[in-house]
Amino acid sequence: MIKKISLYAFVLFAFLTLPNTKVVIAVEQISAPLACFERACIHNESDNGGTINTFAATQRQFVPKDEPNLNPDIVFNLINAYRAKIGLPAFEKDDNLCAIAKSREPELVGEIFDGKGIHSGFRARNLPYWATENMKYGPDENDVFTWWLSSPIHHKAIVSNDKFSCGACKGHICIQLFTNYIPK
């Protein structure tokens, strides 16, 4: 069963609620993947010379070409500018949190593109305090930031009461960590 649609929200809904459904979205040629979720990614595929994006449960191998790292400081500054705009205090960088973020860099490609599970490396650290991680693959820092703002769970981290935040980027994959170091 194939449906052509234009709303990504419906794509996710259809995939999660309609068994044995393959959702195909006709689009212009762009880089893959568009978005990844716990169980699947939206990927580019070639279809008789055209490019389509397919949302499917099967993980496809995709290794991003050598891309220059996005700048996590730009993402951090965008987040703090947004917080200032809505009357919240700026996050502070913390050396320990920055070291954790930096240590996540080698894991990011595998978590998004090789089916190892989004945030699996972060969860595996079993930190002794509560912390949140945002993750996104995007073409630039502004795309990463604006996508997080449009996602309720990612937005919640950005406007949280946490005091500390730090991020890292590997190619076009960025993470941002948030914590108050409150013990679990």
Side-chain angles (χ1 to χ4, degrees):
M1 177 177 190
I2 297 178
K3 298 178 186 277
K4 291 192 179 206
I5 61 174
S6 61
L7 298 174
Y8 289 106
F10 183 76
V11 172
L12 180 59
F13 170 79
F15 174 73
L16 294 176
T17 59
L18 302 174
N20 301 317
T21 298
K22 183 176 183 181
V23 181
V24 178
I25 308 164
V27 297
E28 297 176 18
Q29 262 190 324
I30 54 178
S31 302
L34 292 178
C36 290
F37 306 94
E38 276 297 326
R39 295 176 16 191
C41 291
I42 298 172
H43 287 272
N44 280 343
E45 294 181 358
S46 184
D47 181 51
N48 295 327
T51 298
I52 59 171
N53 290 319
T54 304
F55 189 85
T58 56
Q59 291 287 337
R60 290 175 174 79
Q61 290 294 327
F62 173 77
V63 179
K65 59 184 180 243
D66 289 333
E67 300 170 317
N69 287 349
L70 295 182
N71 186 335
D73 290 331
I74 293 173
V75 176
F76 182 78
N77 291 336
L78 288 168
I79 289 170
N80 275 338
Y82 177 75
R83 288 176 62 87
K85 181 179 172 183
I86 61 172
L88 294 174
F91 284 120
E92 296 176 24
K93 283 193 177 182
D94 173 79
D95 290 341
N96 182 53
L97 198 60
C98 290
I100 294 168
K102 186 78 174 157
S103 74
R104 293 274 294 121
E105 285 180 359
E107 302 163 349
L108 300 180
V109 171
E111 288 182 22
I112 288 187
F113 299 110
D114 295 338
K116 294 182 179 174
I118 304 293
H119 306 296
S120 60
F122 181 67
R123 285 191 299 267
R125 282 170 171 72
N126 196 24
L127 299 172
Y129 47 85
W130 296 106
T132 302
E133 176 181 74
N134 282 359
M135 178 187 285
K136 169 76 167 80
Y137 178 93
D140 58 48
E141 294 86 353
N142 192 60
D143 176 79
V144 168
F145 168 70
T146 56
W147 189 88
W148 285 341
L149 286 185
S150 70
S151 163
I153 196 160
H154 296 90
H155 182 265
K156 184 178 178 180
I158 290 171
V159 299
S160 71
N161 293 332
D162 289 329
K163 181 177 180 179
F164 303 103
S165 181
C166 197
C169 299
K170 176 67 174 172
H172 285 224
I173 305 167
C174 291
I175 60 165
Q176 194 74 30
L177 305 180
F178 307 89
T179 192
N180 264 335
Y181 291 108
I182 296 172
K184 289 182 179 176

